[in-house]
Amino acid sequence: MKSKRHLAREIHHNWQSYLLLLPACLYVFVYGYCTLPYALIAFKDYNYRDGLLGSPWNGFDNFRFFFNSTDVWNVTWNTVKLNALFLVFTLGCAVLLAIMLNELHCRRYKKLSQTIMILPNLLSWVVISYVVYGILGYQYGYLNATLKSLGGAAKNWYNMPEIWTFVLVLVRVWQGSGYNMVVFLAALTGMDDSISEAALIDGATRLQRIWYITLPLLLPTICIMALMSIGRIFNGDFGMIYALVGDNGILLPYVDVIDTYVYRMLRQLGEPSWATAVGLWQSLMGFIMIFASNWIVRRKFADGALF
């Protein structure tokens, strides 16, 4: 009874904060919990006429259809490979940017830099795709224009699949580092400056203070951010891949991920049961990955574990 009264008093005194939290709670409830019963579609031969409960069961046939496909292991490898590269380079650049900004003393420059760095995260992938096309386009792209001005020949970058892993990683780092940098910068701001000041008095250089003080104090936040990303390592970024690559058959063997592959198959076959089965498999793999990685982190570095 005491805890209920305490909760009611807390909501009464801070109702503005809880009101701001309400849209996020509604979003999670509607799209995270109200949609759970529809996972049954993965085990049914679903048709729109009979609905969820009236459609006949077909066991694991939808999963077999996916795993018997000739492209399943290629798109799975592409998904894991790209997400792993995104995770490593985006978090690495975000940590580096946060440390660099934390070492600055001009507050106006720091605020301006944060605003500029976080701006790409607010752009849609459609807008970013036009930016990329403006750089890599064959006829009017900035890169080909530069090559021509230097006496070289224009290249059709959209027909060169070997470079697109690098392109996608570069675009993701540019788009996502600023947002992650803000998280790490907030963690750095909350740290005790007395430790760094004591090291300065003892004669430690700036690099030594960053390596032996700042990075160890930032490590729990890095681990938590990495664990949250690992949970979605089997979920490809559909918006990014489809906006930048689309249905380019030359690039697909190198950049096609599970989500874009399922979208194309759903568009061609019109089978929602198959698409739901793949989504359920992705969620299960993400669940296993995040629990396994959290178990490893908790054994090696308990402060960096999620739970």
Side-chain angles (χ1 to χ4, degrees):
M1 185 65 70
K2 265 186 182 180
S3 60
K4 291 182 180 179
R5 289 178 181 175
H6 178 74
L7 178 61
R9 195 180 304 114
E10 168 68 19
I11 295 175
H12 176 72
H13 287 299
N14 300 290
W15 64 271
Q16 297 94 337
S17 300
Y18 286 96
L19 187 63
L20 290 173
L21 187 64
L22 185 61
C25 292
L26 287 175
Y27 178 86
V28 172
F29 176 74
V30 173
Y31 292 100
Y33 292 96
C34 293
T35 57
L36 282 178
Y38 290 90
L40 292 176
I41 295 176
F43 305 97
K44 290 195 168 195
D45 185 12
Y46 182 78
N47 62 78
Y48 297 100
R49 182 185 59 190
D50 296 330
L52 177 63
L53 299 179
S55 299
W57 295 91
N58 65 353
F60 292 95
D61 288 350
N62 296 318
F63 295 91
R64 294 191 189 98
F65 183 85
F66 174 67
F67 286 108
N68 289 335
S69 171
T70 56
D71 298 320
V72 59
W73 300 117
N74 183 53
V75 297
T76 301
W77 165 245
N78 288 338
T79 305
V80 175
K81 176 189 68 176
L82 288 173
N83 280 333
L85 292 172
F86 294 160
L87 169 63
V88 172
F89 286 99
T90 302
L91 287 185
C93 289
V95 170
L96 181 61
L97 290 172
I99 292 174
M100 291 171 64
L101 283 181
N102 189 59
E103 294 297 317
L104 297 177
H105 299 290
C106 181
R107 294 186 61 186
R108 288 185 178 179
Y109 183 76
K110 287 175 67 173
K111 290 183 178 180
L112 178 63
S113 300
Q114 290 179 48
T115 304
I116 294 173
M117 291 177 188
I118 203 173
L119 181 61
N121 189 259
L122 305 178
L123 300 177
S124 72
W125 284 115
V126 176
V127 174
I128 294 176
S129 70
Y130 282 105
V131 173
V132 174
Y133 185 77
I135 297 173
L136 300 180
Y138 178 75
Q139 189 170 2
Y140 301 109
Y142 176 77
L143 189 55
N144 278 338
T146 304
L147 289 175
K148 289 178 182 178
S149 66
L150 296 175
K155 296 183 179 180
N156 193 344
W157 304 103
Y158 284 86
N159 287 343
M160 300 172 62
E162 64 274 6
I163 71 165
W164 273 86
T165 298
F166 171 77
V167 171
L168 293 177
V169 171
L170 188 63
V171 172
R172 171 50 70 87
V173 169
W174 173 75
Q175 188 264 352
S177 294
Y179 175 81
N180 290 286
M181 178 268 298
V182 172
V183 177
F184 293 125
L185 195 59
L188 288 172
T189 305
M191 291 179 182
D192 188 3
D193 293 333
S194 61
I195 304 174
S196 182
E197 292 172 358
L200 179 63
I201 294 172
D202 289 340
T205 64
R206 177 170 291 188
L207 288 177
Q208 288 175 330
R209 281 180 281 141
I210 290 173
W211 184 258
Y212 293 107
I213 297 174
T214 305
L215 280 176
L217 290 175
L218 201 58
L219 192 57
T221 307
I222 297 173
C223 289
I224 290 173
M225 294 291 289
L227 287 172
M228 293 175 66
S229 299
I230 287 174
R232 293 187 57 82
I233 201 167
F234 277 87
N235 291 75
D237 194 331
F238 172 81
M240 175 186 181
I241 303 298
Y242 198 76
L244 297 181
V245 178
D247 292 321
N248 189 329
I250 298 175
L251 304 182
L252 286 180
Y254 290 80
V255 301
D256 196 19
V257 295
I258 297 174
D259 299 74
T260 54
Y261 177 72
V262 170
Y263 173 73
R264 285 201 317 278
M265 293 300 102
L266 178 63
R267 192 176 59 189
Q268 294 171 10
L269 302 177
E271 183 55 61
S273 301
W274 183 75
T276 307
V278 178
L280 186 61
W281 175 73
Q282 287 178 293
S283 301
L284 178 61
M285 294 304 298
F287 178 82
I288 294 172
M289 288 292 294
I290 196 169
F291 267 85
S293 56
N294 186 79
W295 178 79
I296 294 171
V297 171
R298 191 173 65 244
R299 287 177 61 88
K300 302 295 183 181
F301 182 64
D303 291 338
L306 280 173
F307 45 85

